Amino acid sequence: MSVTYIDAIREAQETLLREDPRVFLYGQDISAFGGAFKATKGLADAFPNRVFDCPISEDAMIGLAVGAAIEGMRPIIEMQFADFSSIAFNQIVNQAATHFYRTGMPIPITVRLPSGGTPGSGPFHSQSMEGIYAQYPGLVVVTPATVSDAYHMLIDSVKLDDPVLYCEHKFLYRWLKSKKINGEHLPIGKARIARPGKHATVVTYSAMVHEAVRAADRLQADGWEIEVVDLRSVKPLDLDTVLASVARTGRLLALGEAFPWGGVTAEVVAKVTEEGFHLLDAPPQRLNARDTPVPYHPKLWAAHRPTPESICEALRKLLSF
Amino acid sequence: MSADGEFLRSVFKSMLRGRILENKLSSLYKAGKIVGGVYLGKGQEAVSASLGASLVQGKDCFAPLIRDQAGRTAFGEPLIDCTRTYLGSVEGPMKGRDGNIHRGRPEMGMPAMISHLGAQVPLIAGMLFAKRLKGTLDGCVGATSVGDGATSTGAFHEGLNLAAVEHLPLVIVVANNQFAYSTPNTRQFACEDLVDRAKGYGVGGHSVDGTDLLACASVIGGAVRLAREGGGPQMVVANLLRLGGHGEHDDGSYVPDSERNGKYGRDCIEVAIRQLAEGGIATVEEMAVWQDEISEEVQRAVAQAQQEPLPDPYKENWTALSTRFPISAE
């Protein structure tokens, strides 16, 4: 028996519904149908009047969640695709994110964002929005890369009193499996060393953790030991773990699947340069997706995002400085 | 005094509180004592107060908009919340972090508006939805105000449609004051009458002359009652004219004389005084006493707020999250 990444998301929601009467699920096609990706399969049956289909109204979905949170509930909102959260942008960044600072009342909502590319998904079903939301004060943005993190970070997101954007990677849904969900886990805000090394550090998150580990495995043949840091949450960003790794290796590659202008990788490089300039033996590097919409065709898509090949190339350049 | 008479007296007092307080805010603004915008509800008090007075604080919820001083007062917001927020007192509900009409007390069922129009419609729907899940919805109403301009937003449409799908006891009052900032209704919507949209949403639709206290109290009060009794969402379109600019920075000179002298150009306070006197609900002398009493209340609220400390950037807690990171591992 194994557990997939999406099983973990479903399990977490089941646990939350069972243990916390304040939790309810609200989203498009999530009730009897079980969600576009089946992340809520069977939950409407198991928890009557706790799992609701809603109109195609992303703005109103988040508006409703904020209102419900004011009334003491802990809603989990499923965006069918992260891309569609652009319609809810106002409610997320202006209503939910500003509420605690303005009024002193926190807004404990969790917005699930099925994120990232998969072959054939194209420009409007592939986006990685974490950098955009992380820019705004008042939001927590998490990006689980493992089955256990998918489970525990969703539980922890709902327990947090602040609004959380839970970025779940669609490519990992069924591809990523684990024997079981680990009992032990790190809290939100702590990064993890996904693979230890000593010659260079790759700081990344979400699906790119696995691409980075693949690249590191390839470079192992040439004698390079690459450390991979999985940020887990991009906001807050665990700079201590990142700096400790860079202190060991002296070299930094910040890797992400989002568009290249600004974003998480730029923030990582900026922070390391500010706080750890003396630790660096080479100019820090960034590797992101290309600066075009995410293309539809699998051949184009595979070359749009970073790949083990392009990561190896970036690392060789970094190591040869 | 009949129950209706008592209700009308309380609505009128809230109208007066709104008008007198706002006149004072206008003077303070012109004297340079208020930083940022000042947005008044002049001409809309009968609508706003009728809504606020039809709601029960502690049970109902109310998301006011920028021209709802009278309705806020009727719902139970103390005047000092207004003066503290406009004058930046750190004792106010927003502590200088937000200003003017962007204030609220979500814990008392009155969320703080954001500037993005229509955004409070789904939020109030969410408060009602939560009450239903908690089993406390019976007999409750949620209300919000918008203007003619907000009816063009996606948020208004999404929110009202959602409330209708969920059959929530939501009352939306559209103060159709003919202008969104400077844009006339001819550039805002093409339907003959906004109330016709109610049918499209599957909600109750009501029209009222927003300058007429008796009509507002009856129609808005009636819409609230229908929602409370399980009739689902109700939309009231109150037709009136904004008797001023968009804010005090704006003289509203784009409003043509034909509108100012038209049927909605009359002042709802003057109409109300006449109606209450003629109906034997309040005497002119009595109403003059109320006016004096409220003027003193307003003076006290301004004086108190002016004496209070302003926010201090060195003492400010500069965090937008309630969670303190890092969280220690379990």
Side-chain angles (χ1 to χ4, degrees), chain B residues 187-204:
Chain B
R187 300 298 300 165
Q188 197 67 244
F189 52 86
C191 59
E192 197 178 324
D193 190 325
L194 284 173
V195 79
D196 295 341
R197 292 191 184 175
K199 190 170 175 18
Y201 286 109
V203 304

Side-chain angles (χ1 to χ4, degrees), chain B residues 50-169:
Chain B
S50 294
L51 180 61
S54 301
L55 305 171
V56 182
Q57 197 203 119
K59 181 176 173 186
D60 297 333
C61 43
F62 176 39
L65 208 71
I66 67 173
R67 308 199 192 285
D68 276 322
Q69 182 56 48
R72 288 169 175 272
T73 304
F75 187 63
E77 183 191 56
L79 294 187
I80 191 75
D81 273 15
C82 174
T83 56
R84 279 172 166 162
T85 307
Y86 264 107
L87 292 163
S89 162
V90 78
E91 303 291 333
M94 311 311 279
K95 300 180 166 48
R97 294 171 172 190
D98 206 340
N100 50 62
I101 60 334
H102 300 95
R103 65 178 191 275
R105 290 195 178 271
E107 71 284 356
M108 75 172 234
M110 194 177 70
M113 60 168 280
I114 65 169
S115 302
H116 302 63
L117 296 175
Q120 303 308 91
V121 178
L123 183 135
I124 283 287
M127 292 178 78
L128 296 170
F129 191 79
K131 285 178 191 289
R132 177 180 285 162
L133 293 179
K134 292 190 291 184
T136 60
L137 185 65
D138 260 8
C140 287
V141 169
T144 188
S145 312
V146 295
D148 35 79
T151 64
S152 306
T153 64
F156 171 88
H157 167 73
E158 289 193 8
L160 183 51
N161 178 63
L162 181 149
V165 168
E166 299 291 356
H167 199 70
L168 294 168

Side-chain angles (χ1 to χ4, degrees), chain B residues 186-302:
Chain B
T186 50
R187 300 298 300 165
Q188 197 67 244
F189 52 86
C191 59
E192 197 178 324
D193 190 325
L194 284 173
V195 79
D196 295 341
R197 292 191 184 175
K199 190 170 175 18
Y201 286 109
V203 304
H206 316 263
S207 288
V208 67
D209 176 345
T211 64
D212 180 334
L213 167 61
L214 296 184
C216 286
S218 159
V219 172
I220 295 172
V224 169
R225 200 156 44 243
L226 275 174
R228 205 183 288 291
E229 288 165 0
Q234 306 293 322
M235 179 167 92
V236 180
V237 177
N239 299 297
L240 37 65
L241 189 66
R242 193 183 68 206
L243 301 182
H246 169 57
E248 285 303 275
H249 58 278
D250 169 28
D251 65 4
S253 54
Y254 42 80
V255 178
D257 285 344
S258 57
E259 297 251 16
R260 291 176 200 272
N261 301 324
K263 68 185 273 204
Y264 298 129
R266 61 182 186 165
D267 185 341
C268 63
I269 300 254
E270 289 170 16
V271 174
I273 290 173
R274 202 170 58 241
Q275 288 179 330
L276 296 188
E278 283 172 5
I281 295 160
T283 65
V284 173
E285 294 74 26
E286 209 176 358
M287 289 188 271
V289 172
W290 294 347
Q291 196 156 339
D292 291 344
E293 286 170 358
I294 291 167
S295 297
E296 278 178 34
E297 274 177 52
V298 166
Q299 291 291 1
R300 282 199 298 275
V302 170

Side-chain angles (χ1 to χ4, degrees), chain A:
Chain A
M1 249 333 248
S2 65
V3 188
T4 63
Y5 184 89
I6 198 161
D7 290 339
I9 292 168
R10 190 199 159 282
E11 295 287 315
Q13 293 181 106
E14 185 172 358
T15 303
L16 286 159
L17 284 165
R18 192 172 55 240
E19 294 181 355
D20 190 340
R22 300 170 300 176
V23 172
F24 70 94
L25 313 187
Y26 198 72
Q28 294 159 18
D29 306 299
I30 68 166
S31 185
F33 186 65
F37 298 101
K38 303 297 170 203
T40 57
K41 191 179 173 188
L43 296 180
D45 277 345
F47 301 95
N49 294 318
R50 307 275 299 281
V51 183
F52 300 94
D53 285 335
C54 68
I56 302 178
S57 298
E58 287 81 5
D59 180 290
M61 288 157 65
I62 303 297
L64 175 137
V66 173
I70 289 173
E71 285 284 326
M73 303 300 281
R74 302 237 159 188
I76 303 174
I77 306 299
E78 177 178 306
M79 282 290 152
Q80 199 154 74
F81 286 83
D83 315 45
F84 303 160
S85 73
S86 58
I87 303 296
F89 190 65
N90 178 45
Q91 295 285 0
I92 295 170
V93 306
N94 292 314
Q95 193 93 269
T98 65
H99 202 269
F100 174 71
Y101 184 70
R102 295 168 68 234
T103 69
M105 181 190 275
I107 297 295
I109 66 171
T110 299
V111 185
R112 288 182 39 233
L113 298 180
S115 302
T118 51
S121 292
F124 312 114
H125 296 76
S126 301
Q127 294 171 26
S128 300
M129 314 273 289
E130 61 279 352
I132 290 172
Y133 292 117
Q135 166 72 23
Y136 276 83
L139 298 174
V140 172
V141 185
V142 305
T143 50
T146 69
V147 171
S148 282
D149 271 353
Y151 178 83
H152 290 296
M153 293 181 84
L154 185 47
I155 301 257
D156 288 352
S157 295
V158 173
K159 286 185 179 166
L160 279 192
D161 287 339
D162 293 298
V164 181
L165 282 301
Y166 176 94
C167 306
E168 53 193 61
H169 203 294
K170 301 194 297 292
F171 191 73
L172 303 181
Y173 274 165
R174 292 188 166 75
W175 172 81
L176 192 66
K177 294 186 180 77
S178 178
K179 280 209 174 61
K180 62 178 177 56
I181 292 165
N182 295 333
E184 284 180 19
H185 67 287
L186 293 169
I188 287 176
K190 280 280 182 207
R192 136 192 111 91
I193 307 297
R195 184 189 195 281
K198 61 183 181 189
H199 296 122
T201 296
V202 181
V203 173
T204 188
Y205 56 95
S206 192
M208 280 295 140
V209 169
H210 305 282
E211 306 299 336
V213 168
R214 283 201 188 97
D217 288 346
R218 290 187 194 183
L219 291 177
Q220 182 97 43
D222 300 337
W224 296 115
E225 293 176 33
I226 307 298
E227 182 147 301
V228 177
V229 175
D230 171 8
L231 288 174
R232 299 178 68 250
S233 70
V234 302
K235 193 176 190 180
L237 197 149
D238 180 4
L239 190 60
D240 289 349
T241 298
V242 170
L243 284 173
S245 176
V246 173
R248 285 191 289 276
T249 65
R251 284 175 163 77
L252 169 68
L253 171 66
L255 169 68
E257 190 183 324
F259 299 131
W261 202 98
V264 177
T265 58
E267 185 67 15
V268 168
V269 167
K271 285 231 154 69
V272 169
T273 308
E274 274 177 359
E275 309 256 334
F277 191 70
H278 59 291
L279 304 172
L280 292 164
D281 296 329
Q285 302 293 308
R286 296 170 63 214
L287 184 62
N288 299 288
R290 293 178 195 262
D291 199 13
T292 68
V294 184
Y296 150 73
H297 197 277
K299 284 189 176 218
L300 294 177
W301 171 74
H304 181 268
R305 73 202 290 254
T307 58
E309 293 73 28
S310 66
I311 299 166
C312 282
E313 192 184 323
L315 280 169
R316 285 185 197 284
K317 184 178 153 207
L318 179 65
L319 290 162
S320 67
F321 182 84

